Amino acid sequence: MRLIFLGPPGAGKGTQARELAREWGVPQVATGDMLREAVAAGTALGREARTYMDRGALVPDDVIVGLIRERLSQPDAKRGFILDGFPRTIPQAQALDRLLADLEQRLDRVIYFQVSDEELLRRLTGRRSCPRCQSTYHLIFNPPQRPGVCDRCGTALVEREDDREETVRHRLRVYRDQTAPLLDYYRGRGLLATVPGEGAIEAIRAAIRRAAEVAA
Ligand code: AMP
């Protein structure tokens, strides 16, 4: 199963990718999570990435492609993967094509999460996440059992720097300008499957399973 989860920030890609990766026994490859880990660890990559992330801009393609090349070459990615948050630009998608050709692999499906802008703003500005296990919550739609504490591992929840309203608006513009063109790129190859990103989490998950099974 080699899938891309494509959609705007806040569409629910991470939430669904985490569960389905576990269910299917493949890694969730989330570039945003990988970059946040590098930032937290204070590596050179993290220091560079942070200057882009904090203002809601994209990290340069060559940095991201290097990260993905290394990750997809790991043994656990041989059987499949869910790409979550990558590719985000046409050059990234082209680099992924070359990388998969080198690895003698091919994509099975690109799952597009369709969500309205108003809903994205509502979701992103109330979002809280666990800095330790990356679980995500929402103050209104999906609060943790104990306020401010992760249900899964007990760590104090944080608001992502880039989830402030101004930055969120900027991230949505960046998505529209740089990432949305990927819809046509993958539609043209017959790989695109659209799922509604609004509604009950379980119902959305079922729609993703159906879209992915057609490809399998
Ligand atoms: P995310 O958690 O996927 O919303 O990513 C958070 C931030 O990490 C983005 O706003 C970008 O600054 C950076 N980032 C994550 N994935 C990519 C990517 N594929 N290309 C460029 N920047 C990325």
Side-chain angles (χ1 to χ4, degrees):
M1 197 74 86
R2 295 188 179 87
L3 302 175
I4 293 175
F5 281 10
L6 183 64
K13 304 184 296 294
T15 302
Q16 299 291 359
R18 220 171 349 266
E19 276 305 312
L20 288 166
R22 198 171 301 147
E23 182 176 314
W24 292 329
V26 297
Q28 171 200 9
V29 177
T31 41
D33 288 347
M34 291 160 78
L35 293 170
R36 278 184 291 278
E37 277 164 25
V39 169
T43 64
L45 166 71
R47 284 196 299 276
E48 183 188 354
R50 183 169 193 169
T51 61
Y52 299 94
M53 294 169 79
D54 281 354
R55 52 192 166 89
L58 294 183
V59 173
D61 289 335
D62 56 336
V63 174
I64 295 289
V65 168
L67 208 60
I68 283 285
R69 179 175 289 276
E70 208 171 286
R71 185 64 189 87
L72 294 190
S73 308
Q74 306 281 317
D76 68 334
K78 276 212 175 71
R79 291 181 42 227
F81 47 74
I82 299 176
L83 294 180
D84 161 13
F86 175 91
R88 258 175 154 99
T89 64
I90 295 277
Q92 289 183 16
Q94 291 166 336
L96 177 65
D97 288 340
R98 288 193 294 273
L99 173 59
L100 291 179
D102 287 350
L103 296 170
E104 297 182 338
Q105 297 177 355
R106 61 176 181 77
L107 279 175
D108 294 308
R109 210 103 180 119
V110 178
I111 312 282
Y112 166 51
F113 292 59
Q114 195 165 38
V115 182
S116 69
D117 271 10
E118 308 88 84
E119 174 71 11
L120 293 173
L121 264 178
R122 263 199 303 273
R123 286 186 187 179
L124 288 166
T125 50
R127 186 155 80 167
R128 296 291 179 273
S129 59
C130 174
R132 178 138 176 246
C133 74
Q134 316 289 346
S135 295
T136 51
Y137 301 87
H138 191 280
L139 294 180
I140 299 158
F141 309 126
N142 178 29
Q145 275 163 14
R146 273 203 297 146
V149 180
C150 180
D151 292 344
R152 193 169 286 155
C153 72
T155 305
L157 301 176
V158 295
E159 177 174 29
R160 280 172 47 173
E161 285 278 330
D162 57 355
D163 279 346
R164 280 169 315 197
E165 183 161 345
E166 251 323 287
T167 319
V168 163
R169 287 188 190 281
H170 183 63
R171 287 165 65 205
L172 293 178
R173 276 195 300 276
V174 168
Y175 169 79
R176 226 184 343 263
D177 295 346
Q178 304 202 50
T179 309
L182 293 177
L183 295 174
D184 276 343
Y185 183 86
Y186 288 120
R187 191 180 286 120
R189 300 171 173 208
L191 285 174
L192 196 73
T194 300
V195 297
E198 296 184 42
I201 292 183
E202 244 325 309
I204 298 169
R205 188 164 303 148
I208 300 169
R209 273 194 210 101
R210 280 195 299 276
E213 271 154 19
V214 172

